[in-house]
Amino acid sequence: MAAPTSGSRRIAGTEVPITGSDKVRWIDLTVPSSPSVAPASPADPFVSVPPRAASGCHVVSSGGESQRYLAWRIHEEHQNVLEVIELCASKEFPSSGLRLVFQEALCPFAFMCESEGARRGESVYLLYVLTISGVALLCNLRSPFSYVSGSILSQNDILEFSLQTHTQSANITAVKAKPGCLVIGRQDGSICCYSLGKLAPSSPVFSNELRDDAGIGRLWTLVSRTKALGPVQDIDTATVNERELLFALHLDGSLRVWDISSHTKLLNYNVHSNDFEGQPSRVWVGEADDDQELISLAVLHQGTMVPACDRVVVYGFSFGAAERFLLSPEPLVSAIPLLEGKLVDLKISTEKLWILKEVGPMLYEIVQYDSDGEEICSYVLQEDAISEQMFQSSESALDDLVWTADSIFSSMKEHSFSFISSMFLRRLLQPGVNHCSALRETLLEYKRFLSDSEFQSLTTSGLRKEILSIIEHEGSSQSASSTAYHWKKFSARYLHKWCGNNRPYGLFLDMNHEVFGLVRKGSFSLFRCLEGVEQLIYGSSDELGNLEGLEMNLFDDVSDTETLIEVLRCMGHINHLLGRSSAAIYYESLISSVISPDEIASQILKILESGFSPQSSSPLITLLGTDAYVERRQMAHKSQRKFSVEMLLSFHKLQSRSTSWSAVFDVIEKFMKCLNTKVTIQEHELKRLCNVNSTILVQATSQVARTMFESAFDLFLFLSYLVGVGGQVSLLQSDVSRIKLKLFPMIQDILGQWIVLHFVGISPTTPPAMEDFSYQLSYLQLGIADEVSLHRKLGSSDFTLACLLDFPKSAEGDHLSACFPSTAEVVDLVRQFISSIMRRNNFDHANSFLGSTINLAAVFVRHGQYEAAQNLLGILDTYLNYARASQTDQDTDIACSARLHLNGFCLLMLAHDEANIVLRESRVHEAIRCFFRAASGQEAPKALKKFSSETGFQISGECKSISLWRLHYYEWAMQKFEQNSMSEGACQFALAALEQVDSIVDLDNVSEVEGLPETAQMIKGRLWANVFKYSLDLKNFRDAYCAIVSNPDDDSKYVCLRRFIIVLCELGETKVICNGEIPFTGLLEKVEQELFWKAERSDLSSRPNLYKVLYSFEAYRNNWRKAAAYMYRYFVRLSREGDAGGSRQLSHVLHEKLHALSTAINSLQLVEPSCAWLDSVCEADDQTSPSKKPRNNLLMENSAFGTDSELSRLQFCVDIEILEKEYTLTEALYMLNTVNSRSKSHESHSIEALTDILINENLYDLAFTVVLKFWKESGMKRELERVFAAVAQQCCPNRVGNSGRNFTDTQQLLLLPSSEDDARDGSSKTIAVAHQVQGSCQWETLELYLDKYKDLHPRLPVIVAETLLYADPEIELPLWLVQMFKTTKGGNRMISWGMCGKEADPAALFRLYTNYGRHAEAANLLVEYLDSFASSRPVDVLHRKKMSAAWFPYTTIERFWCQLEEMQSAGHSADQCDRLKKLLHGALMKHLQQVVVDSEDVLSSVGGGQGVESQSS
């Protein structure tokens, strides 16, 4: 609160805002006007009342049950709009109000009352207004306001009457209304009464003019009017002795009182008769006091020359109660000068007068005077309170905040921004300070453009983020001083906007209930009196000597009073030096727990002792400038020196006035009792309420709590400073001990109580999480409308934590529901409310503050306000540090256990909704620590059983030992962490529960073991299973394995093992199984079975591939045979199930099959040859997939394996050779799939067909590999001949027709291609094959492979040549092929020895030529060899002459001769045949002669002459 504006004024009370008034949703309702009435010109209106902002509040009684208040406002900037709100003290502040939009501007006047003719159960209000054109309107308004926004008020609900059409034509200067009557005063001084709403305008008595000649006669009319009256300045009414009186004030000073019902004048009094300067302008009439027979009124005299001459003159008229009612002609008169400012509104009663003044631009004050105008006191307005809370009350407040913050946070820079921002945001967003319109306009100034819907949808946390982003953008995160400076600027802008949106319009006074309030532009508020201690605290230093007027009898001894005055003066010195920034920072440290309160207090004491000492001056120089910094540094130094001197003088005065410091401390203790919350023993009925009165009570409580907290903190600083300078003021060690051991704990208790009360009064509730189904269900199960409504209010910015509590109901009546409380009743209710909160204690022996705070935290936990409960428990933790010295061990242990239990639960629930991972983990770890510490206390079972409904921890029956209780507690904590998906905490508490089970079993206590709900082994098995689950959730696989092997329950162990394997496979962490990180001691067989079981039941496309996992698992343990078996099993499943996904899937399947086979082959090669075989495939099929029909296997069906017995054996045993054959076939299929072959082979086809397809696709290497792998000896030669025949056919561009042999016709052996293959055939085929040999020419390919394989089968050249000649008899055989017939393996020509050789010799070529009619080539070949034989080298002659040294195909030669003759005789190529015959004949004759000669030489060499003789013979 703010200090009084003048040192001579006492603070009478303070404003209490009614929260929620800034969130009213307005219903726009247009009021139509009659077209016959022309609107007046704004420059020359018919109504001469000056335009201004106006407001009013009318009390409507409702049968004694409750009262309704009709408040209305007319804004100066919108003179044609009138806002109406219906308030009821026993209901919530209305969420909507009525905004009436008129066609022209209104006179700043309105009157509302309740219609008497309304139907039962329905309320109809009458509204009297007057437009500037002189049209009086009476509107009937339904309640509650159920109109649709944007609609038009029905003409049936409007009654219009134009005052211009009346006989009087003078302008209207004043207007007043009563139920059924409208009174106007005119420029000519006349006053007229209209029975508007009571009689019809056509009635002759509808209008009456109040005249002086009433009762004298009409003849004296002209005479009576000879003296002209001044214009009517103002009109007011009052009820005196059941008479409706009208008080009219004229410009000439005449004050006339009329009886409205009889239209007679009762009094004519001239206010100028008292010689008061200024012209009378306004009049206010108070309610008549029938007991004193006195009625008071006030007249405003405005100075015409100097505004300071304005004064209010109070007149007290006595009246008689006889039949002839008379007013005294000579009233009691007292004048009250306004001194400064302009009067806005005034309210008067018989004893008091309240004046609302505007003392400056957006600066207002309310002054209260007694009846004689002597005693003056003022009220603290909300502007002053907000400016002080936001450090805007004076220029020095900025210095205090900036210098204090920089000095305190010089060593804590990392927390300065968040701490100071939290402090400002907490103050800014509290109810009564937070105003939606002002805050939105402030955001707009910082370029934060938010639409209405966007701004309304912002939660409290959303607003915090928006504002924080603005401060961060300003660059305030550099230092504490810059942060405080930018917050100060933001707060200044906000305060300016707040004042603009909440300008006071008028006062509201209900004398029947002594209710005093204020109507503002954007809010409503009431006033309350001050607490007794508040009056003492807010008294100025000059008034401290007079405590009698404060109605506080603290001390009987005058010296004690003087001692207290001096102590208060010392506290004032401290407050003057530090301002309120130090208390604000200390308050925030208690709430936020970011920085230790002890550390804050020590830094503040350093400032008191040595002054402000910022660590670095550069931030302050940057903000303030060098000159300003030096100047303010000097001022701070002077203030510090002055403070030190004043404190020492005050200390010496205390010593001189008291016998010892102990007497001073006795006085301080008595004063501390006044600062303490007064918990009364008297019981009050408590009730859950949520209405306007409850919000007023909450706001008033928070105001009192803040004042008390700041005063107690000043006292704490005073005592702390006294201890620091104790040596200078003769402070004994016993005195220091008393301060530290007794006074400090008492002050901490007081600070704790008031900060808790203030915190719950200003902190908005948070909405429950959407997923908090249990919390929402609990409210639905209650079935109570109030509880459901309360649940819906959670999260509203004006619904604070205190609204969740029960409110007191006094014995005299329910002050919170009947009507608005009076100024004194508010304070009484605050005392009762505080007492009811502090009396909430579930503990028998614990301190009231401890018990009440823990109980409050439990209430907030019950309503889901976990962050608020955690803040309260943080305050309690700070208090416990001081309380341990004064509380018993049992009390401290009980409070600590309860605090830790609730704090851990709050942290757990907050972590569940936290999005920030780092903060979430931090809260989880702190919650774990709290639960463990809560369970460690010996009094924990006693402390925690009282919070079963809040946290859910409940034990049926009594626990016979602490270990058994802790077992239940740890299991509960484990379940809570598990429910919130926090496996780390759940795992720790499961392990802790296992320790408790072990301790119970190890004690060998039969009673404790019997107390277990299950057997120890069952509990261990369940807990170890939970440890396994939580470790697995955390991906702590080694811990999960340890939990498995530690589980004593075999069934649970194997279930966990299965789950372990399944989760590892789902997470892709199978390397944990395979790399030996986990030994699986005694579980290898189970692991292998589980893996195989899952592999057989998993889809082949699943990842990871469990067959590969099994291979790695066995390979790491060198079980190569099992590793190969699992890979082969994978191959078998691929063969059965892998070709259902189209060509792309088929390619992947074939690749996987190749990988599986190669891995199996490599693994078996590492096994002993005698064991290098695998189990049968059929056996595995029977185990795993009996429902799946095995497909035929190309390898098993091929007859190339030999006998049936061998084939039968291979079905049960697979060795490396079989695997290699499978690999070859799979590779062939894979390559065919790679080149997109149209003639795709199916596994049911023969291997011969496969080789043909490979040849057709130019995959020659694979084709020959298949031949060499599947055939041996003669079968291999036969297949080679067939393959080369097919290759040779591809080299023939011109083939003979389909008649005869066709080596490549394989269509009858193949399935037709699918439709997908047909569609894909249109694309060009330009695929490079990795196994394709170099050279693209078919002839080169044929030459290459023929040269490679002719040694394996020498007849291959013959097959190729014959195939070529068969395919194209006219073809010219390539030279390289002919040379293969003519040369040996070493490249030597086979010429000297004739045409003999191996299978591919010249003779064979000659036969081919002869067979296929190539006569010229045959003749040339024969002649070539005959000539070569005849022309042998000399070295070869001897060899040639040996027996059978040369051989020629004479039979073929003979057949060749016959063919030539036949052709010649047939006339075919006769000339060529003749030439060839001649050539052949000559060559043969020459050869035969050579043979004869060689034969003779041989005979002669063998038998000498015998040979010759026999030859000749």
Side-chain angles (χ1 to χ4, degrees), residues 60-67 513 817-819:
V60 179
S61 299
S62 180
E65 295 180 0
S66 62
Q67 285 188 338
H513 299 91
S817 61
C819 59

Side-chain angles (χ1 to χ4, degrees), residues 580-594:
R580 286 303 176 194
S581 58
S582 58
I585 294 174
Y586 185 76
Y587 177 95
E588 187 63 29
S589 68
L590 289 170
I591 298 295
S592 62
S593 300
V594 175

Side-chain angles (χ1 to χ4, degrees), residues 100 461 751 768 799 804 1105 1123 1260 1442:
L100 298 170
S461 60
L751 288 172
F799 190 77
L804 298 173
N1105 190 297
Y1260 303 111
K1442 292 181 180 180

Side-chain angles (χ1 to χ4, degrees), residues 317 467 505 650 700 948 1007 1171 1273 1350 1458:
F317 292 93
I467 299 172
Y505 277 5
S650 296
S948 58
S1007 61
C1171 300
E1273 299 177 355
K1350 69 178 180 178
C1458 294

Side-chain angles (χ1 to χ4, degrees), residues 162 184 350 372 380 382 699 746 793 933 965 1041:
S162 178
I184 63 170
T350 306
D372 55 7
V380 179
Q382 190 68 2
Q699 285 295 304
M746 290 177 64
K793 294 185 183 70
R933 290 184 60 194
W965 180 87
Y1041 167 73

Side-chain angles (χ1 to χ4, degrees), residues 507-522:
L507 299 174
F508 160 64
L509 183 64
D510 180 11
M511 288 305 302
N512 294 328
H513 299 91
E514 298 181 359
V515 178
F516 180 43
L518 178 64
V519 180
R520 293 178 174 271
K521 180 180 179 181

Side-chain angles (χ1 to χ4, degrees), residues 74 171 272 352 410 453 458-459 760 795 827 1088 1238 1307 1381:
I74 298 177
N171 287 359
H272 287 316
K352 295 180 182 180
S410 59
S453 59
L458 285 177
T459 60
V760 300
V827 178
E1088 184 179 348
R1238 289 194 59 197
Q1307 295 297 325
F1381 285 92

